[in-house]
């Protein structure tokens, strides 16, 4: 799929043929489903042996009325059971699975970014025509435009929004990095709200509302583990952070995935998050035997009541904190309840 996390992919041509065969058996067809942007929730069918011109100009097959979409932006072709997309010299580019493309093949599951809209290639039983689909898109856009805010129409350009369930946060960040987005990516779950500040596609800063004291790198590593919620890309803000992150998305994802995997294995050997970590009396080891990192975490456990609180209070990453706590338990400095 073009993302950094591991996937096993078949040859593109074979995958297209398999998808076409599955559609023939099911009686369905492929469509573009809008999973983000002002047309979110809409579907546009992809009929065989047809070209679909996408752009801002009226009279095209798919009309997307927004500033970031060029008059004639991209062309999709469906021919001989093969699906492809071609950029038509657009100003802001066409992206497939986070990669800017001039011309590319598509298959079911692929995601396309045009303007602020993310479209996913899906199999659908919907039997609407393309003209009916366009009317539906226009209705969705009109409905969004009438949403009131403070008693009046919502102002400003359309914001990219969607669900983390549909577009995982790592995939979303990869896409924003390639398209060099500016803004604040706000992600809300049932319990937390996180903000990732983007500058030209790099991560400038990150924070989680419930834990403002978390270092930005620790915060974004935690957010990578959020598997559900909603996101919205807000306009850039002029904020000076004392310790900006200014890191590439690629570096964050590579290290973040590694830490998530190791932390997952580590947590199976740690006490529950609500557990207390009392000092063993007497301790089996000497404090002088501990590394500076282990001493820092030991001090944190003295100042907090539970394991979860210790993780939040530590300035180290969750993986480093967990490794230090496990060492303190194993070596007889802390008791595991």
């Amino acid at each position: 799929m073009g993302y950094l996390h591991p996937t096993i992919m078949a040859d593109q041509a074979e995958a297209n043929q398999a998808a076409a065969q599955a559609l023939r058996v099911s009686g369905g067809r492929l469509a573009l489903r809008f999973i983000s942007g002002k047309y979110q929730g809409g579907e546009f069918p992809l009929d065989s042996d047809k070209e679909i011109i996408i752009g801002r100009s009226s009279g095209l097959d798919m009309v997307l009325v927004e500033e970031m979409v060029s008059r004639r932006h991209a062309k999709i072709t469906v021919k001989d059971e093969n699906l492809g997309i071609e950029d038509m010299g657009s100003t802001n580019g066409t992206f497939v699975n986070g990669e800017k493309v001039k011309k590319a093949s598509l298959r079911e599951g692929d995601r396309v970014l045009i303007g602020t809209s993310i479209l996913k290639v899906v199999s659908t039983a919907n039997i609407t025509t393309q003209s009916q689909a366009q009317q539906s898109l226009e209705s969705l856009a009109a409905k969004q435009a009438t949403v009131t805010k403070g008693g009046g129409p919502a102002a400003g350009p359309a914001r990219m929004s969607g669900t983390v369930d549909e577009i995982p946060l790592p995939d979303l960040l990869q896409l924003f990095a390639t398209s060099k987005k500016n803004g604040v990516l706000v992600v809300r779950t049932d319990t937390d709200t996180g903000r990732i500040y983007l500058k030209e596609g790099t991560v400038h800063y990150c924070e989680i509302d419930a834990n403002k004291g978390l270092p930005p790198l620790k915060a974004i590593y935690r957010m990578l583990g959020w598997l559900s919620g909603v996101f919205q890309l807000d306009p850039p803000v002029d904020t000076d952070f004392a310790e900006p992150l200014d890191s590439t998305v690629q570096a964050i994802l590579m290290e973040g995935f590694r830490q998530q995997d190791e932390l997952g294995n580590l947590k199976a050997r740690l006490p529950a998050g609500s557990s207390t970590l009392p000092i063993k009396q007497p301790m089996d080891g000497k404090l002088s035997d501990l590394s500076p990192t282990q001493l820092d975490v030991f001090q944190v456990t003295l100042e907090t009541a539970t394991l979860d609180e210790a993780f939040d209070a530590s300035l180290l990453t969750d993986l480093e904190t967990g490794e230090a706590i496990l060492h303190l338990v194993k070596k007889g400095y802390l008791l595991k309840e």
Side-chain angles (χ1 to χ4, degrees):
M1 289 277 296
Y3 302 113
L4 293 174
H5 43 80
T7 54
I8 300 175
M9 296 177 61
D11 177 79
Q12 181 71 59
E14 293 180 359
N16 284 342
Q17 291 175 5
Q21 176 63 27
L23 286 173
R24 284 195 297 269
V25 171
S26 66
R29 59 176 172 172
L30 292 178
L32 292 175
R33 177 177 296 157
F34 287 76
I35 58 176
S36 173
K38 65 190 290 186
Y39 303 99
Q40 185 176 348
E43 279 190 8
F44 196 94
L46 301 174
D47 297 333
S48 298
D49 299 322
K50 288 191 67 175
E51 288 186 348
I52 300 167
I53 307 298
I54 304 170
R56 197 173 72 244
S57 293
S58 60
L60 299 181
D61 302 295
M62 184 193 294
V63 181
L64 304 180
V65 183
E66 58 171 284
E67 292 181 1
M68 292 185 65
V69 175
S70 296
R71 295 182 184 279
R72 293 172 65 86
H73 195 107
K75 175 175 66 175
I76 291 181
T77 56
V78 186
K79 188 174 182 180
D80 298 330
E81 299 173 351
N82 293 314
L83 182 61
I85 188 169
E86 180 179 352
D87 186 81
M88 302 182 73
S90 66
T91 301
N92 293 297
T94 300
F95 300 82
V96 176
N97 297 331
E99 297 181 4
K100 190 173 185 178
V101 300
K102 291 293 185 183
K103 192 173 185 179
S105 296
L106 295 175
R107 70 173 191 175
E108 189 174 352
D110 284 348
R111 297 181 181 92
V112 178
L113 171 66
I114 295 177
T116 64
S117 294
I118 301 176
L119 304 91
K120 184 177 181 180
V121 182
V122 299
S123 174
T124 181
N126 197 326
I127 59 173
T128 59
T129 65
Q130 291 184 352
S131 60
Q132 290 172 329
Q134 179 60 44
Q135 291 176 4
S136 177
L137 295 182
E138 293 170 1
S139 297
L140 286 169
K143 182 178 179 180
Q144 186 185 83
T146 59
V147 173
T148 58
K149 185 178 293 185
R159 297 180 184 178
M160 185 178 293
S161 62
T163 68
V164 177
D165 311 64
E166 186 75 66
I167 317 172
L169 186 56
D171 294 358
L172 195 61
L173 286 173
Q174 179 85 339
L175 188 151
F176 288 163
T178 309
S179 54
K180 300 186 183 298
K181 291 290 186 185
N182 290 297
V184 183
L185 177 60
V186 183
V187 183
R188 293 183 175 86
T189 70
D190 290 339
T191 56
D192 291 301
T193 296
R195 291 175 171 81
I196 301 173
Y197 297 79
L198 300 168
K199 281 190 174 182
E200 295 293 322
T202 63
V203 178
H204 179 59
Y205 196 76
C206 180
E207 61 184 359
I208 297 175
D209 284 1
N211 303 100
K212 289 287 191 180
L214 291 182
L217 197 59
K218 182 172 182 173
I220 197 167
Y221 287 164
R222 282 196 181 183
M223 288 181 66
L224 291 178
W226 294 0
L227 302 180
S228 63
V230 296
F231 72 84
Q232 178 173 301
L233 184 64
D234 286 349
V237 295
D238 188 14
T239 304
D240 291 327
F241 297 103
E243 297 181 2
L245 191 54
D246 290 328
S247 179
T248 66
V249 166
Q250 183 176 8
I252 287 172
L253 293 184
M254 290 181 67
E255 178 60 15
F257 289 144
R258 182 190 73 82
Q259 292 211 14
Q260 277 191 339
D261 288 342
E262 295 190 19
L263 184 62
N265 295 328
L266 189 68
K267 282 189 172 180
R269 293 175 284 161
L270 287 172
S274 58
S275 300
T276 59
L277 294 173
I279 299 175
K280 186 175 182 181
Q281 298 288 351
M283 292 185 295
D284 292 345
K286 299 177 180 179
L287 293 179
S288 58
D289 294 334
L290 296 176
S291 70
T293 294
Q294 291 162 353
L295 276 172
D296 288 343
V297 174
F298 184 71
Q299 181 65 37
V300 167
T301 63
L302 298 180
E303 299 170 351
T304 53
T306 67
L307 181 64
D308 281 342
E309 291 178 10
F311 271 103
D312 287 344
S314 173
L315 297 179
L316 303 171
T317 67
D318 286 336
L319 177 60
E320 293 168 329
T321 302
E323 289 173 337
I325 290 175
L326 187 61
H327 178 85
L328 293 169
V329 171
K330 280 185 173 182
K331 297 300 181 180
Y333 293 89
L334 300 174
L335 288 173
K336 179 179 178 180
E337 290 191 342

